[in-house]
Amino acid sequence: TDKLQKLSEEDWQLALYNLRTANLLAGKDPLRPDMLDCHPLVREHFGEKLKKEKPEGWKTAHKRLYQYYKELPEKELPDTLREMEPLFAAVAHGCSAGLHQEALYDVYWKRIRRGEEAYTVHKLGAFGADLSALSHFFEKPWTQPAAGLPDHDKAGVLSLTAFVLRAVGRLHEAIQPMKVALEKNIKRENWAEAARIASNLSELMLTLGKVEEAVSYARQGLTHADKSGNDFLKEVLRAALADALHQAGQLEEAEQWFREAEELQKKRQPEYPFLYSLQGYRYCDLLLGQGKYNEVMERAEKTLEWAIQQGVSLLDIAINNLSLGRVWMMKLETEGSSDFTRAMEYLDQAVTGLREAGTNDHLPRGLLVRAECYRLMKQFSSAWDDLEEAEEIAELGSMKLYLCDYHLEAGRLYLAEKKNKQADHHFSIAKEMIEETGYFRRKNEVGSWQLAVGK
């Protein structure tokens, strides 16, 4: 200590520079420039050494750090990711100390996620941070939860993780934890949770382009929901089945299930006569396909008002803006107007909102619709920008229905640019994908292409 005190500021900074160059110290944190920390590899080396040679000391150290970080935030329920940093650290140290269940309930569930509110994902759009926290509850990501968790918590962690993996675009990784969680809940006869997971699996299979499996999981989930006696889940699963049937081109049955879902909601919540949230967006999607844009305008304006009043998820607000953007596009096309200002305002808000929501499994739908609007406005360069981003996200996540939509819109865009050969190429790919995936709601659009290119 005496020698350190005699160092000049210049010598001290040189010493720090040399230690960082040798990878013994972590890089300088611009937000906390006075904090010194060893390089992560150094910490990992000595951590593993302590864990192997002194396992009890390892656990004791992590337990103390768990207690320290758990009590560090000034607020019991921090509002920002920055304020939550100590809680994420507490989860990591708690799990390393073997306190998996305590860290799950007392820190992650109550203070980070805020229970069913799902604050980190719905209000902050922080799916990546949420997934990082959940990773500590696994021995083998993403199929083997920590042995220290009871069976019902293992099923819960699997289900939550699968939902987050899907949102960040890691769709194939989400399949196995979802299926394992579904089996565990069916075995325990937890019909409510089984219904939720089956609904998520149906949505996942749709995005992956497995339409028939999506319909099957939705029907299975509906059976579980009815067994559960949970009125909300009865609505959700009817809407999930309706959406899967819609994508399969079975429009009459789809509309029937949407109506049933809405009637159940009216009984449960008379103050909300329209389906809202994702269920409402999907019903509006079907109605727009029937050309009922005036009805959709009434619905989407009202459900957007509810979403803003209730301060619900970023996603709910974004998809209502998306519905209204689509309404204005259809209205203007029908009336032969070329003033797409209002439509673009809603679509810009929708895309921005979907980005903020952090849901990569929904962002392509916003980009695809805005690309269509740019095409109608003859702003072809901007249309290609949105299309290419949508394609990139869809390719990374193997989101085949979005890829099919991409090829259809790319074909229309090339037609607008009078490049029939390129258009024909994209329409041909879309036709093959429609047959491969069972995405039969798009069949008529292939017929329109054939007329457009003179086939």
Side-chain angles (χ1 to χ4, degrees):
T1 304
D2 291 340
K3 289 181 180 179
L4 284 175
Q5 289 175 344
K6 292 176 184 177
L7 281 176
S8 68
E9 179 63 23
E10 184 180 350
D11 289 339
W12 171 244
Q13 292 301 327
L14 179 61
L16 295 181
Y17 172 79
N18 289 334
L19 288 168
R20 287 188 173 117
T21 302
N23 288 329
L24 295 174
L25 277 181
K28 190 174 183 179
D29 184 345
L31 297 175
R32 291 174 288 187
D34 296 329
M35 178 175 283
L36 298 180
D37 193 5
C38 63
H39 192 279
L41 291 175
V42 175
R43 188 189 308 111
E44 183 179 350
H45 168 77
F46 285 104
E48 286 299 317
K49 185 177 172 71
L50 176 63
K51 183 178 180 181
K52 184 177 179 180
E53 297 177 3
K54 304 284 185 182
E56 289 307 312
W58 161 270
K59 285 190 174 182
T60 300
H62 279 290
K63 186 174 182 180
R64 288 179 181 174
L65 287 168
Y66 166 68
Q67 295 295 340
Y68 169 74
Y69 282 114
K70 188 172 69 166
E71 296 166 9
L72 195 58
E74 294 179 4
K75 302 174 184 175
E76 177 68 15
L77 298 176
D79 297 309
T80 67
L81 281 179
R82 182 76 174 172
E83 292 173 353
M84 284 183 190
E85 281 183 6
L87 296 184
F88 285 109
V91 167
H93 290 296
C95 291
S96 293
L99 303 173
H100 293 90
Q101 191 173 17
E102 183 180 330
L104 179 65
Y105 278 99
D106 293 351
V107 183
Y108 173 75
W109 184 251
K110 290 182 180 178
R111 300 180 66 190
I112 293 176
R113 195 172 176 90
R114 298 191 189 179
E116 296 293 344
E117 185 181 352
Y119 183 84
T120 40
V121 295
H122 287 163
K123 297 296 177 67
L124 300 180
F127 285 92
D130 210 68
L131 184 62
S132 177
L134 286 165
S135 69
H136 297 290
F137 298 104
F138 284 84
E139 291 179 6
K140 181 182 177 183
W142 303 103
T143 56
Q144 189 176 333
L149 292 171
D151 283 346
H152 65 278
D153 286 336
K154 288 178 181 177
V157 164
L158 284 163
S159 180
L160 287 169
T161 302
F163 174 78
V164 176
L165 284 168
R166 189 184 60 159
V168 298
R170 295 163 64 173
L171 273 64
H172 283 290
E173 290 178 75
I175 294 174
Q176 189 59 22
M178 273 194 195
K179 288 184 174 180
V180 173
L182 179 60
E183 290 170 6
K184 285 181 179 292
N185 280 288
I186 290 173
K187 188 174 181 179
R188 294 175 54 240
E189 297 188 359
N190 185 343
W191 303 121
E193 192 58 28
R196 285 191 185 93
I197 297 166
S199 176
N200 289 336
L201 264 169
S202 177
E203 291 178 24
L204 176 61
M205 292 303 170
L206 266 187
T207 310
L208 288 169
K210 301 175 185 288
V211 177
E212 189 175 336
E213 286 187 54
V215 172
S216 177
Y217 275 117
R219 290 194 191 280
Q220 181 183 349
L222 180 56
T223 300
H224 300 327
D226 287 345
K227 281 184 182 179
S228 76
N230 185 309
D231 290 337
F232 170 69
L233 288 174
K234 290 177 184 178
E235 297 161 21
V236 169
L237 267 299
R238 279 162 172 77
L241 177 56
D243 186 48
L245 290 166
H246 179 203
Q247 309 316 315
Q250 300 177 40
L251 305 186
E252 288 185 14
E253 188 180 356
E255 188 167 6
Q256 173 194 330
W257 286 114
F258 273 130
R259 286 176 178 168
E260 278 197 27
E262 190 160 83
E263 286 304 313
L264 286 170
Q265 182 183 287
K266 286 179 185 177
K267 290 179 183 177
R268 187 175 62 87
Q269 295 178 303
E271 67 275 27
Y272 299 121
F274 297 137
L275 277 177
Y276 55 83
S277 193
L278 274 172
Q279 296 92 276
Y281 174 81
R282 288 165 179 152
Y283 193 10
C284 286
D285 187 30
L286 181 141
L287 294 171
L288 283 172
Q290 298 171 343
K292 298 177 180 178
Y293 59 86
N294 286 322
E295 180 180 344
V296 173
M297 180 177 285
E298 180 186 2
R299 286 172 171 272
E301 286 179 342
K302 184 55 69 175
T303 53
L304 177 59
E305 179 186 322
W306 297 338
I308 294 171
Q309 286 174 350
Q310 296 166 5
V312 294
S313 74
L314 296 170
L315 177 61
D316 282 3
I317 294 171
I319 58 176
N320 277 296
N321 280 317
L322 183 56
S323 287
L324 288 168
R326 294 177 66 193
V327 163
W328 277 95
M329 284 170 59
M330 187 173 289
K331 178 180 172 66
L332 292 167
E333 282 187 272
T334 303
E335 296 172 357
S337 171
S338 59
D339 183 5
F340 286 87
T341 305
R342 190 79 181 274
M344 188 54 72
E345 285 176 359
Y346 280 117
L347 294 177
D348 283 342
Q349 290 179 66
V351 172
T352 298
L354 291 169
R355 290 192 199 283
E356 291 174 352
T359 51
N360 272 2
D361 56 332
H362 290 293
L363 178 56
R365 72 171 85 241
L367 292 167
L368 288 161
V369 175
R370 193 169 68 175
E372 180 184 355
C373 193
Y374 278 130
R375 169 174 58 81
L376 296 172
M377 296 166 68
K378 301 190 185 306
Q379 295 184 20
F380 299 146
S381 176
S382 295
W384 280 117
D385 287 343
D386 276 355
L387 269 186
E388 286 165 6
E389 184 180 356
E391 182 197 20
E392 182 180 356
I393 295 168
E395 284 281 8
L396 285 171
S398 298
M399 304 175 187
K400 289 191 176 180
L401 293 199
Y402 289 142
L403 284 172
C404 184
D405 291 338
Y406 158 77
H407 286 293
L408 285 168
E409 183 54 33
R412 296 186 194 103
L413 186 49
Y414 272 125
L415 279 178
E417 294 178 323
K418 304 188 184 309
K419 298 177 180 178
N420 284 15
K421 185 175 181 180
Q422 293 94 324
D424 187 71
H425 170 71
H426 282 282
F427 283 129
S428 296
I429 295 173
K431 182 180 180 181
E432 291 176 6
M433 293 189 73
I434 288 168
E435 294 298 328
E436 174 196 341
T437 60
Y439 193 21
F440 296 131
R441 68 171 286 196
R442 298 296 187 200
K443 260 196 167 182
N444 290 339
E445 296 177 42
V446 173
S448 300
W449 148 64
Q450 290 171 328
L451 289 173
V453 295
K455 287 197 170 186

